[in-house]
Amino acid sequence: TWVVQRWELELYPHREGEFALPPVGLELAVNDAEAGIVRGAAQTGALAFRAELPAAMEGAGRWLATPSLTLRQRLDRDPENLAPGDAFTRTLEIEATYVTAMMLPEPDLPVPDGLAAYPGIPELEDRSNRGEATAIRRQAITYVVEQPGQYRLPELSVAWWNTGTRARETAVLPALDIDAGAAGPGIDGISLPAGFWPALVAVALLLAMALLARRRQRRADPLQEASRALGRG
């Protein structure tokens, strides 16, 4: 009768060079029919391997070695016809196989002047299906328009080494254009929204109409007219 226990440890070298793994020691206890419990120790063999940096990945910065990698995004609204104060959320997702989620790179997210970005906490997920490990990194970024104008979020790219084809590949998300209107005339170098002046004129007209109606109401009040006449004698 045999009992088998198996442990799997995934190793990810972060540099090139030689690696030596020491033996793993185990303390064992075997129940023998004649001698009773027999205790002892055993060791696995040592393991050595070499990791090499592919020439195509030199200078690539942070990259992954994986059989497959996918980079995608989704938006909760169309980034067009926006106005100052409007917001939209962009969710970025990186998915790769035979790596762990903690190894997936954090994308570089430059933000142009006139926009504010509020990144959420990344969601890391590790899945396993019939021995195939899949890692997912998901992050939502909320952008708020602070000034009207035309903006472009630059393209995002992740370099990776395809362990199946043994070739360098790059996953790319195209640049994202944002339409937040055009800047209107300014005062002393201060940029004002395009609809600022029409709104200001409309408010002034409303105020003038309210003042005129109040004056007419005062003149039409006979008690106030009588009071003024008595005051004049």
Side-chain angles (χ1 to χ4, degrees), residues 11-127:
L11 306 177
Y12 300 97
H14 288 177
R15 61 170 177 83
E16 62 177 336
E18 302 288 344
F19 290 85
L21 302 180
V24 176
L26 297 174
E27 294 184 358
L28 306 173
V30 180
N31 190 354
D32 183 76
E34 298 180 357
I37 297 179
V38 179
R39 300 183 181 276
Q43 280 191 335
T44 66
L47 178 64
F49 67 92
R50 176 176 177 80
E52 296 182 355
L53 175 66
M57 303 308 296
E58 292 183 358
R62 187 176 179 184
W63 53 276
L64 290 174
T66 173
S68 64
L69 185 142
T70 304
L71 181 61
R72 49 183 172 262
Q73 71 176 353
R74 67 176 182 272
L75 305 175
D76 68 340
R77 63 179 294 183
D78 192 353
E80 295 185 358
N81 301 321
L82 301 178
D86 287 347
F88 67 93
T89 300
R90 178 192 197 191
T91 302
L92 301 175
E93 191 171 274
I94 304 176
E95 181 176 336
T97 55
Y98 293 104
V99 296
T100 61
M102 63 181 298
M103 297 176 61
L104 297 176
E106 179 180 357
D108 186 20
L109 300 172
V111 182
D113 293 336
L115 292 181
Y118 301 93
I121 299 175
E123 300 176 12
L124 304 180
E125 180 181 355
D126 288 297
R127 300 176 182 172

